[in-house]
């Protein structure tokens, strides 16, 4: 402190006045001086120099309290003195923001402030001071609360805060040195409060409905008044000492006397009979080796032999402060008899007239957050203390009925969980949160004890209420597992020994109640199950249109008349609807889809006026293409437009066109489903969950101080360990060295109260000797804590627990491995002798000869690979595993930079980078690395770019200009006639086309390969073998063989990727080899996100076997190409086609597909005569060679209009008309066909009729027009052969983009209907 500040404070204190021993004489400016002191305290620094100076000068004892005694009637002076007293009595921990100072100097200042507060508390033992406050408080309370001024309310609050601060001063044990039944400083303050009558005013405030503002203050004061009292001792206090109290005191005195006698006898025996040191001698201790191999030499008298210790010169390793066990605990002492009597009387009055009302309003304030933070500690303490006092005094449920309910259990459990969460997160206030959690635990313990007392009540209503509460508590999972959670999470660094004692006792009570409640009846409890599974991203499911159409038509029949009435009388139709948001990031096309979805939702919700208003507003924003009707539409046309929007299935259109920004980074995501069911409760299953090494640790830690524990505490520990050892049949869990050392001390104890523990210790040691006779390693197990699995293995033999599990049954033993080696060698020798050179059927042959017939094909294959045998399995076709290491090599970083620069402008740069990295990594790893290297600034740069499409299909002029520059656009514009005779389906067709955008991805499992003749396959095989790619053909053959075996075994129909390795990589770049894969009906990568060719899932094992037969014959050179020109014949039952050579065609035969994709081989006829259909039913368009009917009959090859077209190429039909939306939708359907021949999406009924009419016109075209079309198709086919030979994973970005454009061009082969001829 500076000298100037010191002088100013000294002058201020001297200006207050002086005391002559009997009366205090104040200065003229005493009131202003006290205000200056308040101002100094407000401006005090972090070291609290002003506060420490005032405490050192004892201004409170020497000046403030004498002024208060003599001049308390002066209102102004009383107010400022009261303010200064409240400030000076502020708790030290509050001054340091509830954190104990860690720095040495600050800690000394903290202790100095506490010393000053303790001296202040002694000064407040004067009854005269409290009488003054009592009189002031009484005068103010007499005033009606509605007429009371704000200053009066402040005086009440300041007096209550002063009382709370005085009672909150900690006890000075070393300074007072008070024993039990003696009046401490705290007892003297309580006696002064009682003598002044202010304690009665506290009861009045707590019971008055008009003073709810001060309920929390009163509860704090009451908790501080009774903080050192034991409710059981307080309830037993009487004017005359009871017989039980006398006997208890005598027993305690006898125990203390016996301990003193035992210690004195031990000291006497230590020196009795010992000879003089000169006769000490030197001794050799047998069977105790020294540093060398000789016996140790002892140079001290024999009477000190038992005190031989080799750890005397050793230094114990010091623990860090943050790892030391937490010390502390509640201080309880027996106050003076007179103080206990007045406190008992106070508690009885509090229970009878205050408890229920006060606890109700306090809890309401806690729930509604009307009080300060952490004030629930006082509520929990009051619940525990007064419920125990009521239980021990005269148990009456009605006096504590407010806190006996399931809601109270829930509140206490919530506080326990919240305190534990804060304990683990707020580490600077660990001590505070630990104390608060201890208070919550004691409240929970008292709730359980009250339920036990209710079960013993003579009133049947009370017993039934207890049964209902227990039924609700034991039913819910969270209530039932709270105690188990607290036991498993106990940590001696965070909790005190007193907390552990209360926890063990609470667990004992809870288990006892639960066991008794479930013993005589079968109870049902909740069961919570957590199911975790990994699922891939789901594609949008195509809704079933038939059922949806039926339901919408039924709704339209109901809503149609109402909509018509709204259109005819548009008075209530809003005109200020805004369908477009210019500030939104979504483009015009997406917002147009949103508007259609909103109109449909409004119609189905019967908000017809809003739907009509939105339709008209949307027509003004999007007038093109008449999507919302034409401009100036009549009511009938608007009705038709609304009907088409209502009928269309566009509810999920907005989700289908969402940006890929919402896509997850991982291909698979974990899904956790938490479901709550019911089950029959089994107490033993619950008790087995307590058989945990953490529970044993906690019990062992508390058992170490068995001589200081209460008898009931030792009983609870013994019962918990007995449940583990006897009920759960796991005594090996207790085989621990530290616990056995405690058993030694228990067996040495001669006290009667330790006999129960000694009996249990004998039982555990006996079990240990039994196990030691069969398991010599159990002595080593004493050094470690064990799980229930380890305990089972110690008793039953190591590995016995694993043998019971399912995984152990699937494991391979040494004998089984030797049998597998022998069978594999036998098969190899047999194959060499037969000259088959096989090896493909080795797994199937081994399965036939294995002794254990429960083995699967997959497990045998996996074990053969582990043993080092070269067996081709399905695992070769799995993609590469991701590298989970976080370390990036320099070469990887350079490759990552190059790939990003190469693909940063592609549609999906992240996928392109992942496919080309040498070491595969996940998307988050690559993104984080690019951000760390500074290559990108935002994660959005790696997102998949959205390809914006127009709301309508491509115009015919654009298609013609890009694909057929020689065509006449004016001729195509003449096609303006409605093919189905109505314009009502225009909007429907546009909506159908809109919702089908973005659905080009087909599920590989449902892919239908193309049809090929035997000659195609034979020619392709001969070309590949001639080119020297025999190894690649063998690889394909083995892959087909493996998939065929797997599908025979488990019927798996998932598509299997072909992953090339080694020489197969080079073959994949050759056009001849790709041609072979196509002839084998294998499916190429459909988009840029796929890397490998795949064996489709609809090829059965028989199909694969037939393919393998042809491939094996070609490799042997025994296969001859036969170009007989015969096509495949359709099998209408299973959807496959067989030709005369036995080849398979798995093309789909359903009429719902837009076209059949097949491959034409070689036509015998060169003519192009057209053959018209007489059947009026729908037909399929075969762009590869033939047009067939649904009956399965094929026309003559001469009638095909596309003779000579390249096989395995998809052709699309685009019709040119701006006023014919049905034709545009038809074109869009063909544009969505995949190159690999995947399944087309189904169309509406109106579109099917358009297809039928258009096919008739196409087939009836002139020969000259067909010749021109075939010539253009032949030209396109030549270019497609070259582009299909490129590897999609290897070509650069510019070639990739141009190739994608070429593919789109080849898929838009335009067939123009020349009607003008």
């Amino acid at each position: 402190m500076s000298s100037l500040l010191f002088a100013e404070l000294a002058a201020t204190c001297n200006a207050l006045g002086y005391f002559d021993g009997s009366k205090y004489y104040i200065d003229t400016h005493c009131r202003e001086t006290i205000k200056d002191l308040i101002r100094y305290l407000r401006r005090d620094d972090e070291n609290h120099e002003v506060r420490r100076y005032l405490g050192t000068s004892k201004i409170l004892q020497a000046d403030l309290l004498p002024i208060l005694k003599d001049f308390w009637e002066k209102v102004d002076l009383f107010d400022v003195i009261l303010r200064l007293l409240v400030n000076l009595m502020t708790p030290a921990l509050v001054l340091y923001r509830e954190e104990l100072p860690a720095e040495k100097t600050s800690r000394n200042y903290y202790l100095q402030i506490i010393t000053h507060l303790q001296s202040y508390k002694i000064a407040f033992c004067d009854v005269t001071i409290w009488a003054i406050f009592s009189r002031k408080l009484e005068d103010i309370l007499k005033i009606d609360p509605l007429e009371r001024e704000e200053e009066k309310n402040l005086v009440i609050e300041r007096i209550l805060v002063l009382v709370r601060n005085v009672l909150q001063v900690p006890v000075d044990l070393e300074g007072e040195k008070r024993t039990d039944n003696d009046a401490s400083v705290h007892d003297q303050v309580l006696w002064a409060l009682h003598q002044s009558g202010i304690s009665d005013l506290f009861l009045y405030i707590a019971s008055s409905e008009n003073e709810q503002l001060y309920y929390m203050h009163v509860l704090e004061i009451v908790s501080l008044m009774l903080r050192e009292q034991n409710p059981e001792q307080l309830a037993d206090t009487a004017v005359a000492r009871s017989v039980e109290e006398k006997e208890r005191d005598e027993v305690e005195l006898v125990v203390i006397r016996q301990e003193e006698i035992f210690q004195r006898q031990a000291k006497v025996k230590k020196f009795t009979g010992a000879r003089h040191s000169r006769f000490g001698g030197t001794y050799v201790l047998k069977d105790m080796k020294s540093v060398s191999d000789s016996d140790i030499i002892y140079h001290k008298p024999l009477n000190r032999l038992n005190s031989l210790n080799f750890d005397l010169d050793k230094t114990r390793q010091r623990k860090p402060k943050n790892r030391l066990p937490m010390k502390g605990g509640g201080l309880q002492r027996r106050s003076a008899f007179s103080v206990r009597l007045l406190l008992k009387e106070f508690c009885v009055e509090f229970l009878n007239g205050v408890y229920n009302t006060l606890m109700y309003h306090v809890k309401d304030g806690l729930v509604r957050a009307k009080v300060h933070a952490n004030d629930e500690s006082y509520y929990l303490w009051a619940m525990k203390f007064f419920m125990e006092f009521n239980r021990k005094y005269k148990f009456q449920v009605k006096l504590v009925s407010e806190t006996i309910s399931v809601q109270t259990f829930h509140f206490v459990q919530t506080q326990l969980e919240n305190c534990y969460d804060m304990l683990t997160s707020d580490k600077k206030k660990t001590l505070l949160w630990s104390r608060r959690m201890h208070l919550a635990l004691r409240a929970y313990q008292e709730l359980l004890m009250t339920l036990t007392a209710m079960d013993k009540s003579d009133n049947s209503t009370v017993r039934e209420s207890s049964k209902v509460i227990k039924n609700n508590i034991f039913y819910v999972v969270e209530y039932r597992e709270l105690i188990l959670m607290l036991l498993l999470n106990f940590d001696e660094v965070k909790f005190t020994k007193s907390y552990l004692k209360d926890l063990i006792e609470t667990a004992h009570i809870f288990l006892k109640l639960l066991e008794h409640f479930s013993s005589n009846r079968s109870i049902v409890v909740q069961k919570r199950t957590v199911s975790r599974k990994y699922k891939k991203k789901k594609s949008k499911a195509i809704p079933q249109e038939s059922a949806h159409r039926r339901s919408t038509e039924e709704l339209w029949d109901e809503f149609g008349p109402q909509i018509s009435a709204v259109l005819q009388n548009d008075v209530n139709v809003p005109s200020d609807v805004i369908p477009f948001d210019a500030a939104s990031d979504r483009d015009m096309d997406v917002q147009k889809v949103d508007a259609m979805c909103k109109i449909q939702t409004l119609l189905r919700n019967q908000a017809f006026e809003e739907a009509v208003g939105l339709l008209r507003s949307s027509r003004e924003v999007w007038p093109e293409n008449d999507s919302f009707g034409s401009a100036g539409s009549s009511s009938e046309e608007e009705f038709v437009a609304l009907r088409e929007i209502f009928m269309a299935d566009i509810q999920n259109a907005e989700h289908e066109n969402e940006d890929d920004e919402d896509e997850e980074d991982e291909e698979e995501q974990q899904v956790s489903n938490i479901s709550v069911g019911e089950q029959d409760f089994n107490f033993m299953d619950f008790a087995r969950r307590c058989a945990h090494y953490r529970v044993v640790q906690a019990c062992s830690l508390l058992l170490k101080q068995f001589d200081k524990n209460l008898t009931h505490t030792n009983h609870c520990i013994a019962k918990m360990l007995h449940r583990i050892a006897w009920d759960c049949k796991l005594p090996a869990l207790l085989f621990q060295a530290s616990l056995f050392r405690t058993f030694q001390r228990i067996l040495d104890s001669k006290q009667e109260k330790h006999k129960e523990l000694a009996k249990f210790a004998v039982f555990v040691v006996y079990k240990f000797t039994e196990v030691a006779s069969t398991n010599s390693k159990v002595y080593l197990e004493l050094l470690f804590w064990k799980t229930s699995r380890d305990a089972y293995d110690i008793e039953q033999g190591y590995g016995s627990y694993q043998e019971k599990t399912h995984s152990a049954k699937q494991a391979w033993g040494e004998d089984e491995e030797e049998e597998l080696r022998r069978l594999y060698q036998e098969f190899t020798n047999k194959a060499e002798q037969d000259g088959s050179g096989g090896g493909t059927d080795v797994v199937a042959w081994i399965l036939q000869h294995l002794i254990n017939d429960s083995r699967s094909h997959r497990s045998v294959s996996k074990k053969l690979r582990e043993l080092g045998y070269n067996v081709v399995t399905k695992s070769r076709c799995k993609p590469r595993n991701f590298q989970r290491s976080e370390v990036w090599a320099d070469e990887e970083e350079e490759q990552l930079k190059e790939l990003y620069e190469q693909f940063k402008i592609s549609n999906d740069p992240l996928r392109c980078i992942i496919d080309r990295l040498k070491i595969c990594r996940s998307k988050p790893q690559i993104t984080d690395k690019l951000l760390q290297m500074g290559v990108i600034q935002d994660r959005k740069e790696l997102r998949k770019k959205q390809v914006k499409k127009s709301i309508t299909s491509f115009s015919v002029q654009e298609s013609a200009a890009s694909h057929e520059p020689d065509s006449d656009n004016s001729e195509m514009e003449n096609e303006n006639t409605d093919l189905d005779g109505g314009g009502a389906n225009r909007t429907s067709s546009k909506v159908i086309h809109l919702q089908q955008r973005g659905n080009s991805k087909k599920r590989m499992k449902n892919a239908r390969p193309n049809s090929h003749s035997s000659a195609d396959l034979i020619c392709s095989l001969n070309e590949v073998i001639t080119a020297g790619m025999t190894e690649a053909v063998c690889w394909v053959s083995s892959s087909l063989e493996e998939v065929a075996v797997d599908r025979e075994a488990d019927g798996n129909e998932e598509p299997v990727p072909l992953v090339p390795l080694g020489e197969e990589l080079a073959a994949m770049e050759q056009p001849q080899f790709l041609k072979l894969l196509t002839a084998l009906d294998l499916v190429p990568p459909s988009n840029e996100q796929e890397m490998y060719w795949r064996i489709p899932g609809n090829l059965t094992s028989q199909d694969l076997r037939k393919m393998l037969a042809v491939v094996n014959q070609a490799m042997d050179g025994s296969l001859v190409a036969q170009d007989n020109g015969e096509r495949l014949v359709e099998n209408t039952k299973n959807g496959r086609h067989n030709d005369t050579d036995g080849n398979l065609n798995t093309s789909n035969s359903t009429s719902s597909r837009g076209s059949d994709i097949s491959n034409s081989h070689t036509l015998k006829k060169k003519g192009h005569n057209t053959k018209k259909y007489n059947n009026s039913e729908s037909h399929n368009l075969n762009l590869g060679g033939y047009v067939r009917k649904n009956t399965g009959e094929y026309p003559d090859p001469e009638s095909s209009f596309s003779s000579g077209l390249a096989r395995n190429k998809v052709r699309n039909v685009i019709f040119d008309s701006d006023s014919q939306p049905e034709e545009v939708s038809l074109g869009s359907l063909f544009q969505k066909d995949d190159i690999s021949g995947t399944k087309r999406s189904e169309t509406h009924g109106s579109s099917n009729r358009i297809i039928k009419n258009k096919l008739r016109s196409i087939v009836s075209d002139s020969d000259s027009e067909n010749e021109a079309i075939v010539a253009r198709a032949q030209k396109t086919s030549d270019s497609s052969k070259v582009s299909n030979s490129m590897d999609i994973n290897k070509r650069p970005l510019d070639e990739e983009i141009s190739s994608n454009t070429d593919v789109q061009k080849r898929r838009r082969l335009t067939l123009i209907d020349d009607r003008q001829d």
Side-chain angles (χ1 to χ4, degrees), residues 867-886:
L867 296 177
Y869 298 111
N870 187 14
V871 180
V872 179
T873 60
K874 188 177 179 179
S875 61
R876 288 189 62 187
C877 301
K878 293 183 179 180
R880 299 173 293 175
N881 293 328
F882 282 101
Q883 179 72 24
R884 295 299 180 188
S885 175
E886 299 293 338

Side-chain angles (χ1 to χ4, degrees), residues 877 1035-1036 1039 1056-1060 1068 1077 1082 1092-1095:
C877 301
W1035 166 65
V1036 174
S1039 300
V1056 180
L1058 295 177
V1059 183
M1068 294 297 293
L1077 296 181
L1082 304 186
Y1092 309 109
W1093 286 65
R1094 282 170 168 75
I1095 302 175

Side-chain angles (χ1 to χ4, degrees), residues 171-288:
V171 180
D172 186 9
L173 297 177
E174 296 180 359
E176 296 183 22
K177 295 181 180 180
R178 303 282 183 173
T179 60
D180 287 347
N181 294 322
D182 194 3
S184 62
V185 175
H186 191 75
D187 293 341
Q188 295 175 24
V189 174
L190 293 178
W191 182 259
L193 293 174
H194 173 69
Q195 292 294 325
S196 64
I198 197 172
S199 59
D200 297 331
L201 295 177
F202 296 155
L203 293 176
Y204 170 77
I205 294 174
S207 60
S208 177
E209 292 288 341
N210 298 325
E211 308 297 341
Q212 296 183 13
L213 183 63
Y214 311 112
Y215 278 178
M216 201 67 215
H217 293 290
V218 174
L219 186 60
E220 293 181 33
I221 292 172
V222 172
S223 65
L224 294 172
M225 288 174 60
L226 303 170
R227 65 179 181 180
E228 297 180 356
Q229 305 302 320
N230 188 340
E232 183 177 358
Q233 294 178 358
L234 211 59
D236 295 339
T237 303
V239 177
R241 295 180 62 191
S242 61
V243 178
E244 295 180 357
E245 187 178 357
K246 292 180 181 180
E247 293 179 354
R248 184 170 60 249
D249 293 342
E250 291 177 358
V251 169
E252 291 180 359
L253 184 60
V254 170
V255 170
I256 295 174
R257 181 62 179 166
Q258 289 178 353
E259 290 181 358
E260 291 179 354
I261 295 174
F262 177 76
Q263 292 177 2
R264 187 181 300 112
Q265 291 177 354
K267 186 180 293 186
V268 171
K269 290 181 179 180
K270 183 177 181 180
F271 298 101
T272 301
R275 295 192 300 174
H276 196 271
S277 61
R278 63 177 178 267
F279 301 109
T282 301
Y283 305 94
V284 176
L285 300 181
K286 292 295 184 181
D287 298 332
M288 184 177 291

Side-chain angles (χ1 to χ4, degrees), residues 1021-1126:
L1021 282 170
N1022 292 332
E1023 290 178 4
V1024 172
I1025 294 175
T1026 304
M1029 291 180 282
T1030 308
E1031 294 293 333
V1033 176
C1034 294
W1035 166 65
V1036 174
S1037 176
S1038 62
S1039 300
L1040 294 175
E1041 172 69 19
E1042 182 182 353
V1043 174
V1045 172
D1046 288 345
R1047 292 184 179 176
E1048 288 175 352
D1050 51 15
N1052 187 11
E1053 296 183 357
E1054 292 294 329
V1056 180
L1058 295 177
V1059 183
L1061 300 173
E1063 298 182 359
E1064 294 88 350
L1065 287 171
M1068 294 297 293
E1069 299 179 358
Q1070 302 299 324
Q1072 299 94 334
F1073 191 74
L1074 297 179
K1075 180 179 177 182
L1076 172 62
L1077 296 181
T1078 305
L1080 289 171
D1081 288 340
L1082 304 186
V1083 182
S1086 61
N1087 50 42
E1088 67 277 3
Q1089 295 185 359
E1090 294 183 359
M1091 298 176 57
Y1092 309 109
W1093 286 65
R1094 282 170 168 75
I1095 302 175
N1098 62 338
L1099 289 180
T1100 62
S1101 58
Q1102 292 82 2
D1103 301 338
L1104 296 174
R1105 293 293 184 187
K1106 292 181 180 180
M1107 292 182 184
L1108 281 172
V1110 178
V1111 173
N1112 293 335
Q1113 291 178 9
M1115 294 176 63
D1116 296 340
S1118 60
L1119 190 63
V1120 181
Q1122 298 177 359
D1123 190 6
N1124 52 11
E1126 296 180 3

Side-chain angles (χ1 to χ4, degrees), residues 952-956 959 979 989 992-993 996-997 1154-1155 1181 1210-1217 1220-1233 1240-1241 1243 1247 1250-1251 1254 1304 1307-1311:
T952 57
S953 300
F954 296 96
S955 62
V956 180
S959 302
L979 299 180
S989 300
I992 293 170
H993 169 63
Q996 288 175 345
R997 291 175 54 187
S1155 62
L1181 178 63
V1210 181
R1211 303 297 186 262
N1212 298 307
V1213 181
I1214 300 178
F1215 298 95
D1216 182 17
S1217 176
Q1220 298 293 337
E1222 294 85 1
E1223 299 175 1
V1224 176
S1225 177
L1226 177 63
S1228 65
L1229 289 175
F1230 285 102
Q1231 291 177 12
K1232 292 183 178 296
D1233 291 341
R1240 277 72 169 167
S1241 59
T1243 60
S1247 300
I1250 299 172
I1251 294 173
K1254 185 57 62 179
Q1304 294 293 333
R1307 295 172 63 189
R1308 296 172 184 167
L1309 179 62
T1310 307
L1311 304 178

Side-chain angles (χ1 to χ4, degrees), residues 749-991:
S749 177
K750 304 301 181 182
Q751 297 185 21
E752 187 71 19
K753 61 181 181 180
H754 297 154
K755 283 190 175 181
E756 181 185 9
L757 295 177
K759 186 177 180 180
F760 178 73
V762 170
F763 166 75
V764 176
V765 175
Y766 177 74
K767 287 292 183 180
F768 177 79
T769 56
E770 284 186 351
V771 176
S773 61
T774 58
N775 184 6
S776 60
K777 297 179 182 179
V778 72
Y779 297 100
L780 299 177
E781 298 288 354
L782 286 173
L783 305 177
F784 309 100
W785 297 103
K786 293 160 282 295
T787 62
S788 57
R789 174 178 177 177
D790 299 334
Y792 186 86
D793 288 343
I794 290 173
E795 291 189 79
Q796 306 297 330
Y798 294 102
S800 57
Y801 185 89
Q802 180 68 21
E803 292 177 357
K804 300 190 304 179
T805 60
H806 175 72
S807 58
K809 299 178 182 179
Q810 300 298 324
W812 290 78
E814 295 182 359
D815 297 338
E816 291 180 314
E817 290 182 359
E818 185 63 29
E819 180 188 7
L820 190 63
R821 293 190 185 96
R822 180 179 55 80
L823 290 175
Y824 183 85
Q825 190 63 34
E826 290 181 5
F827 178 83
T828 305
N829 297 336
K830 182 179 179 181
E832 292 178 355
Q833 294 175 1
D834 297 343
S836 61
T840 56
D841 294 331
V842 58
V843 178
W845 188 87
I846 290 176
L847 284 173
Q848 296 176 0
H849 296 80
L850 269 179
I851 297 177
N852 186 1
D853 55 355
S854 64
R855 299 292 181 183
S856 63
H857 184 278
R858 191 180 302 274
S859 63
V860 173
S861 302
K862 182 179 179 180
K863 193 61 183 179
L864 286 173
R865 291 199 311 272
E866 292 178 359
L867 296 177
Y869 298 111
N870 187 14
V871 180
V872 179
T873 60
K874 188 177 179 179
S875 61
R876 288 189 62 187
C877 301
K878 293 183 179 180
R880 299 173 293 175
N881 293 328
F882 282 101
Q883 179 72 24
R884 295 299 180 188
S885 175
E886 299 293 338
V887 181
W888 288 72
D890 296 338
E891 296 80 3
E892 295 181 72
E893 294 181 357
E894 294 296 330
Q895 184 190 17
L896 186 61
K897 289 182 181 178
E898 295 176 359
L899 291 175
Y900 176 75
E901 293 297 331
Q902 183 178 0
F903 297 104
K904 63 181 179 181
I905 62 174
S906 62
N907 291 338
D908 193 358
L910 194 56
R911 172 54 59 185
C912 296
I913 293 174
I914 290 177
D915 294 343
R916 290 162 176 80
L917 278 176
K918 294 180 180 179
I919 298 179
C920 288
R921 296 182 182 270
S922 63
K923 292 182 179 180
Q925 284 182 323
I926 297 174
T927 305
D928 294 341
K929 190 62 180 177
L930 290 174
L931 287 171
Q932 179 183 355
M933 296 166 59
V935 179
I936 60 175
Q937 303 300 325
D938 192 357
R939 297 177 183 269
K940 295 181 180 180
E941 299 180 24
L942 295 176
R943 289 177 177 171
K944 187 176 179 181
K945 298 177 179 60
Q946 181 181 9
V947 181
K948 297 183 179 180
K949 299 180 181 179
S950 176
I951 197 68
T952 57
S953 300
F954 296 96
S955 62
V956 180
Q957 289 85 350
E958 294 173 351
S959 302
S962 59
H963 300 290
E964 293 188 18
D966 298 334
S967 62
D968 190 357
N969 294 339
S970 61
E971 296 177 358
M972 291 181 281
E973 294 175 358
N974 294 330
E975 188 66 33
N976 296 324
T977 307
D978 273 348
L979 299 180
D980 203 24
N985 292 328
R986 297 180 180 179
T987 307
S988 176
S989 300
K990 294 180 181 180
V991 172

